[in-house]
Amino acid sequence: MEHQQSKSFPISHVIGFVVSLVLTFAAAGITLKTNLSFKVIMWIIGSLAVIQAGMQLFMFMHLREGEDGKTNLVNMIYAVFMVIVIVVGSIWVLTSGHAAH
Amino acid sequence: MKAKITMEVTIMSIKWDEFFITGDPLILGSQIAIVLTMIGAVAGITYLKKWKYLWTEWLTTVDHKKIGMMYIISAVLMFFRGGMDGLLMKAQTAQPEMGFLDSQHYNEIFTTHGVIMILFMAMPFLIGLMNVVIPLQIGARDVAFPQLNALSFWLFFSGAMLFNISFVIGGSPDAGWTSYFPLAGKEFSPGIGNNFYAVALQIAGIGTLMTGINFIVTILKMRTKGMTLMKMPMFTWTTFVTSILIVAAFPIFTVALALMTFDRLYGTHFFTVSGGGMDMLWANLFWLWGHPEVYIVALPAFGIFSEVISTFSRKSLFGYKSMVFSILGIALLSMVVWVHHFYTMGSGPAVNSFFSITTMAIAIPTGVKMFNWLFTMRKGRIKISSAMLWALAFVPCFVIGGVTGVMLAMGAADYQYHNTLFLVAHFHYVLIPGVVFAVFAGLYYWWPKMFGFMLNEKIGKWHFWLFVIGFNVTFMPMFFLGLNGAVRRAYTYSAESGFAPLFMLSAIGSIILAAGFAVFCYNIYWSIRYADRNISSDPWDARTLEWSTASPVQFYNFAKLQEVKSLDPFWHMKKKNEGLTLYDSEIEEIHMPSNSWLPIYMGVIFGIAGFLLVFEWHIAAALAAIGIFAGLIIRSFDYNEGFHVKKDEIHRIENAWRKTEGEVHDHVS
Ligand code: HEM
Ligand SMILES: [Cu+2]
């Protein structure tokens, strides 16, 4: 296979990694160390998760190196499908009917 | 009697008397056998002075064919272990109130049987065949990332060995291959057995995930000139889609196992209700991976049958396009059916109806494939070889598995079938014809390509008939036992239940089944010793590119890369006598990757770290983990660019197997 990557320092990966850690510890801190209501906590850490996922797409997943638009499109559709199945699916299955109690 | 490990094991106070499982004659026998085998192997290799050969030719290899063979050898060994577990269970339930195994021991055995059969037998067997065949089928010289491929193998092997030692050291997991919480949690399974499950499967799973990535890239990027997606052989298609499913599903399992590890080792409560967690979340995540997993093993098997049926009917595959679309349909649907494994959780009518419908819908693309195979055979000049026999038997047996699957798919009806032997019979009817028959077919079919001689066809037929008859006699009674109310995972039953005759019949069947497996092993032995070495490189008159090169395949696969114009390229090359010859002017230097010690090193260090983690020796495990990072760092600074095979050497190797006629080297016999 050809080697196309530039040999420069992977700065965006390092930033992405650090930001991921910060966001994760923020979520843990808010959950463990604050007295906010359950609902508020869920909303905050849920939002942090979405932010982190989006950030990783740009920092790690080469989304900006968009020469190959088709591949990116397929990848995005695939990712959205997986998120819907896993996250929405799990919530739906585990919160309806008797499973809710 | 099993010595239960209940103490908090720390570095300071290891209770060595409980480190090894003691007091059970079966286990003692195994321990002695293991030690003797290991001493025997080490002594044998030393005596034959084979250490260097083993190290340079196998342990450090990055050659996809050798890696594939190592996968297959491991899988056969694991089949033996898992099969022994199966026989022990059948012996225990042969009669009512048998005292052969106690309930704890039975629990451990069905757990290890299930895990080993699916993750350490079916998966590596298929991945092994994929490794051997796929680069050849697409006309490439290796996979996209050869060293990563070796790493995949060693991580799988490391995980498998870690899991297997559990029954002699520390105690086996005993909460079923599904390891549902709360049973699998610390509260109800305080021993370390279930740590083996969490850690060993994690290590093997990482290897599998890498395999998935590797094969996606290989198939997308390494196909030879002219081979468009719709000209790929069917086994390549199924491997491609399976790899996508691996990449989709395995991370879910990785996360679920990590959460399980946190719960068991570090006191979190993701799955414990008392701590605010949710036990059914485990079941949900497990089956989000688990159902795609059964298609991960079924799809490559379908690909193998497609190749075998088309070759031995001497026709190209019927309905190629509909085959491709049904594979894609199956893959998509397989991601949205997972709840059918726990309808009885009671998720309400909307959820259960949705998943009933998606599950039943899978029967449609699967049915399309069935008819395609039948139409491929129609009016074909069928040659009943051993490989073809397995494909023929697959059709009716798998249909029984599939139809009972549709019965189970109905949520309301499943309340009756759930957790009975009806289910156990169903999934063995899917997994044994769908995977085991397929790997046998593939092995008989590709064996000459791998080793340059065939497996004996006559012994092969004995193997076939014993195995297929034994399989049906073992599992057919279980359907009726299940309908009569016999539950799964139960180590015994009363005489009054009336189950005894069918259980006995099933046990007899399993002995026939085992005899079939023994004949298979004998066939390998016989063929290694006596089979004719002087066979052509295309003994079946086959259709795809792997048959256009030498048997056994030279390490660089192809002296020149082929150009493909149609489906079944090698068949057309033979008919038109095109591209079969190699002219001296076409020979060029070939660039190949070098061997590496890093993959096996990573396997060993992962195994050690995993072992220490299983025993909850955290500091020691952390120290071992430094070794993992060291390996990663060394790899980052590894600038080895491989080596070049010189023209002379290629000449010599090619001349050795092609019939040399002046400039023109024709090799089709
Ligand atoms: C070779 C002959 C085989 C025999 C005699 C056999 C027998 C059995 C028996 C007796 C059980 C337990 C039934 C119970 O619940 O009490 C079982 C469970 C199971 N078997 Fe097999 N089996 C065989 C092959 C296979 C193969 C090839 C696979 C998969 C590829 C497989 C996968 C499983 C799984 C996943 C379970 C469920 C384990 C659990 O309940 O956690 N078996 N088998
Ligand atoms: Cu399923």
Side-chain angles (χ1 to χ4, degrees):
Chain A
M1 305 208 69
E2 297 136 67
H3 301 273
Q4 284 174 335
Q5 310 100 310
S6 57
K7 288 260 152 75
S8 64
F9 188 73
I11 186 71
S12 72
H13 289 75
V14 176
I15 297 179
F17 182 59
V18 173
V19 176
S20 297
L21 286 179
V22 170
L23 288 168
T24 305
F25 280 110
I30 288 163
T31 314
L32 297 173
K33 301 280 178 209
T34 62
N35 296 322
L36 300 170
S37 74
F38 180 74
K39 214 172 171 183
V40 175
I41 289 181
M42 287 309 264
W43 275 105
I44 296 178
I45 63 174
S47 315
L48 289 178
V50 173
I51 293 170
Q52 182 166 162
M55 191 245 358
Q56 292 193 355
L57 272 180
F58 280 94
M59 294 303 201
F60 301 150
M61 305 305 280
H62 307 280
L63 251 201
R64 290 170 299 173
E65 298 161 21
E67 290 151 46
D68 187 0
K70 211 169 122 198
T71 311
N72 272 343
L73 186 71
V74 172
N75 284 343
M76 288 308 292
I77 295 174
Y78 168 77
V80 170
F81 173 74
M82 292 304 296
V83 168
I84 292 179
V85 169
I86 299 173
V87 180
V88 181
S90 298
I91 292 174
W92 183 44
V93 167
L94 292 175
T95 55
S96 38
H98 297 293
H101 315 300
Chain B
M1 221 66 15
K2 187 190 105 141
K4 257 255 172 219
I5 306 253
T6 43
M7 74 288 188
E8 266 304 299
V9 196
T10 61
I11 296 188
M12 289 294 110
S13 60
I14 302 167
K15 297 191 181 168
W16 288 103
D17 53 329
E18 293 183 8
F19 182 76
F20 291 106
I21 302 298
T22 49
D24 185 302
L26 278 174
I27 291 179
L28 185 66
S30 316
Q31 280 164 333
I32 295 171
I34 290 173
V35 172
L36 288 180
T37 316
M38 280 187 348
I39 295 175
V42 171
I45 297 169
T46 312
Y47 178 73
L48 296 169
K49 300 204 173 61
K50 288 285 187 196
W51 281 110
K52 186 139 186 276
Y53 164 80
L54 201 64
W55 178 254
T56 52
E57 294 292 318
W58 294 94
L59 303 185
T60 60
T61 187
V62 293
D63 180 333
H64 68 96
K65 302 175 286 296
K66 286 185 180 161
I67 292 174
M69 288 174 205
M70 291 195 290
Y71 266 118
I72 293 172
I73 294 167
S74 320
V76 172
L77 291 176
M78 289 293 105
F79 200 167
F80 181 76
R81 159 84 208 265
M84 287 308 261
D85 284 345
L87 288 181
L88 290 175
M89 288 188 285
K90 288 280 88 181
Q92 164 61 24
T93 54
Q95 284 183 348
E97 320 271 9
M98 279 277 268
F100 176 51
L101 303 173
D102 60 26
S103 65
Q104 171 61 23
H105 205 154
Y106 193 84
N107 293 350
E108 294 176 10
I109 288 183
F110 69 66
T111 303
T112 52
H113 167 80
V115 170
I116 287 175
M117 280 299 196
I118 291 195
L119 287 146
F120 301 138
M121 190 285 288
M123 291 288 283
F125 221 133
L126 290 162
I127 292 179
L129 287 171
M130 278 155 56
N131 258 293
V132 172
V133 176
I134 294 301
L136 295 170
Q137 267 196 343
I138 62 173
R141 292 206 170 109
D142 208 321
V143 293
F145 309 114
Q147 192 165 330
L148 188 73
N149 200 23
L151 181 60
S152 289
F153 170 76
W154 287 110
L155 288 183
F156 142 72
F157 191 74
S158 173
M161 290 302 112
L162 186 57
F163 190 83
N164 269 281
I165 55 164
S166 66
F167 88 112
V168 284
I169 298 178
S172 294
D174 55 4
W177 90 284
T178 49
S179 280
Y180 275 9
F181 279 78
L183 178 59
K186 203 70 187 179
E187 191 183 349
F188 296 99
S189 298
I192 60 160
N194 279 287
N195 294 355
F196 273 109
Y197 179 97
V199 176
L201 296 195
Q202 186 70 286
I203 295 173
I206 299 170
T208 308
L209 183 56
M210 291 172 181
T211 301
I213 295 169
N214 213 339
F215 276 87
I216 291 179
V217 181
T218 304
I219 292 172
L220 283 179
K221 296 282 186 190
M222 309 266 291
R223 274 169 291 137
T224 193
K225 213 166 145 198
M227 187 180 278
T228 56
L229 285 181
M230 291 310 268
K231 291 199 182 86
M232 296 197 306
M234 198 44 65
F235 184 47
T236 305
W237 255 114
T238 53
T239 298
F240 179 54
V241 177
T242 282
S243 306
I244 296 175
L245 273 181
I246 288 177
V247 172
F250 265 78
I252 308 173
F253 197 40
T254 304
V255 169
L257 285 173
L259 298 182
M260 173 190 254
T261 311
F262 291 154
D263 271 15
R264 288 191 55 85
L265 264 56
Y266 305 113
T268 58
H269 292 285
F270 291 104
F271 304 126
T272 38
V273 179
S274 57
M278 197 182 223
D279 48 357
M280 283 315 283
L281 179 61
W282 165 265
N284 182 69
L285 291 175
F286 180 88
W287 287 113
L288 261 166
W289 160 79
H291 190 86
E293 164 66 13
V294 305
Y295 281 90
I296 290 169
V297 293
L299 286 179
F302 292 169
I304 295 173
F305 287 129
S306 302
E307 304 290 347
V308 166
I309 288 176
S310 145
T311 299
F312 292 107
S313 308
R314 306 177 64 77
K315 282 174 66 193
S316 59
L317 193 63
F318 183 90
Y320 177 89
K321 265 195 191 152
S322 62
M323 270 312 199
V324 171
F325 285 112
S326 50
I327 299 168
L328 293 171
I330 289 174
L332 191 75
L333 282 172
S334 77
M335 293 302 303
V336 289
V337 296
W338 75 94
V339 177
H340 65 212
H341 294 276
F342 49 98
Y343 286 136
T344 51
M345 176 177 79
S347 216
V351 171
N352 279 6
S353 310
F354 176 86
F355 286 95
S356 295
I357 291 167
T358 51
T359 304
M360 283 186 253
I362 290 199
I364 299 167
T366 314
V368 170
K369 297 177 75 66
M370 276 290 165
F371 282 103
N372 281 340
W373 287 315
L374 293 177
F375 281 124
T376 308
M377 288 188 253
R378 181 169 177 268
K379 291 198 175 166
R381 270 177 293 141
I382 296 179
K383 183 163 179 282
I384 311 266
S385 63
S386 297
M388 186 64 176
L389 274 176
W390 291 108
L392 291 173
F394 156 76
V395 173
C397 293
F398 192 81
V399 167
I400 296 174
V403 169
T404 49
V406 177
M407 293 166 71
L408 287 158
M410 290 176 269
D414 185 56
Y415 277 74
Q416 279 297 318
Y417 306 129
H418 190 71
N419 268 355
T420 65
L421 289 182
F422 185 84
L423 168 79
V424 175
H426 152 72
F427 68 68
H428 284 88
Y429 259 90
V430 179
L431 284 166
I432 292 183
V435 178
V436 180
F437 288 13
V439 295
F440 282 146
L443 210 57
Y444 278 90
Y445 181 57
W446 281 305
W447 189 275
K449 192 49 34 192
M450 290 191 266
F451 299 107
F453 60 92
M454 294 200 204
L455 286 175
N456 183 300
E457 284 284 307
K458 205 165 167 197
I459 306 177
K461 283 177 186 147
W462 275 98
H463 167 206
F464 170 81
W465 284 109
L466 285 171
F467 200 93
V468 172
I469 292 172
F471 157 68
N472 280 289
V473 177
T474 309
F475 291 103
M476 187 56 80
M478 287 205 198
F479 281 121
F480 299 99
L481 281 169
L483 292 178
N484 288 342
V487 293
R488 75 187 286 204
R489 293 174 174 171
Y491 79 110
T492 195
Y493 51 93
S494 66
E496 295 77 53
S497 64
F499 296 153
L502 285 177
F503 263 119
M504 183 47 114
L505 183 61
S506 171
I508 293 170
S510 68
I511 295 171
I512 306 176
L513 190 65
F517 186 78
V519 172
F520 164 65
C521 296
Y522 175 69
N523 196 356
I524 294 180
Y525 165 79
W526 190 94
S527 305
I528 290 176
R529 289 208 60 169
Y530 305 114
D532 184 5
R533 286 341 196 237
N534 195 12
I535 58 164
S536 99
S537 56
D538 176 27
W540 312 119
D541 198 5
R543 317 176 74 82
T544 41
L545 285 182
E546 72 267 31
W547 301 100
S548 72
T549 192
S551 306
V553 183
Q554 59 278 49
F555 65 97
Y556 51 78
N557 292 2
F558 299 98
K560 74 166 174 189
L561 296 181
Q562 314 271 10
E563 181 167 355
V564 169
K565 301 205 179 81
S566 60
L567 271 177
D568 295 339
F570 184 50
W571 181 260
H572 292 284
M573 284 159 67
K574 286 188 286 189
K575 291 278 124 54
K576 295 182 202 146
N577 203 0
E578 262 178 19
L580 295 172
T581 47
L582 176 71
Y583 298 100
D584 288 349
S585 57
E586 290 174 317
I587 295 182
E588 285 173 20
E589 284 198 353
I590 297 173
H591 181 204
M592 297 297 293
S594 310
N595 284 2
S596 169
W597 55 272
L598 263 176
I600 185 171
Y601 163 81
M602 289 298 267
V604 170
I605 198 81
F606 258 100
I608 294 172
F611 183 80
L612 297 170
L613 197 61
V614 164
F615 281 87
E616 304 181 13
W617 296 332
H618 297 292
I619 299 167
L623 288 176
I626 295 174
I628 297 178
F629 284 101
L632 294 176
I633 292 168
I634 294 171
R635 174 67 181 141
S636 314
F637 291 99
D638 178 5
Y639 296 111
N640 188 327
E641 292 282 352
F643 65 99
H644 287 266
V645 193
K646 297 275 175 302
K647 283 188 189 179
D648 291 349
E649 193 182 352
I650 302 173
H651 257 287
R652 195 168 45 71
I653 295 175
E654 293 299 312
N655 280 340
W657 71 277
R658 291 167 189 259
K659 282 188 215 144
T660 38
E661 290 157 14
E663 266 283 270
V664 182
H665 311 308
D666 184 14
H667 67 281
V668 180
S669 58

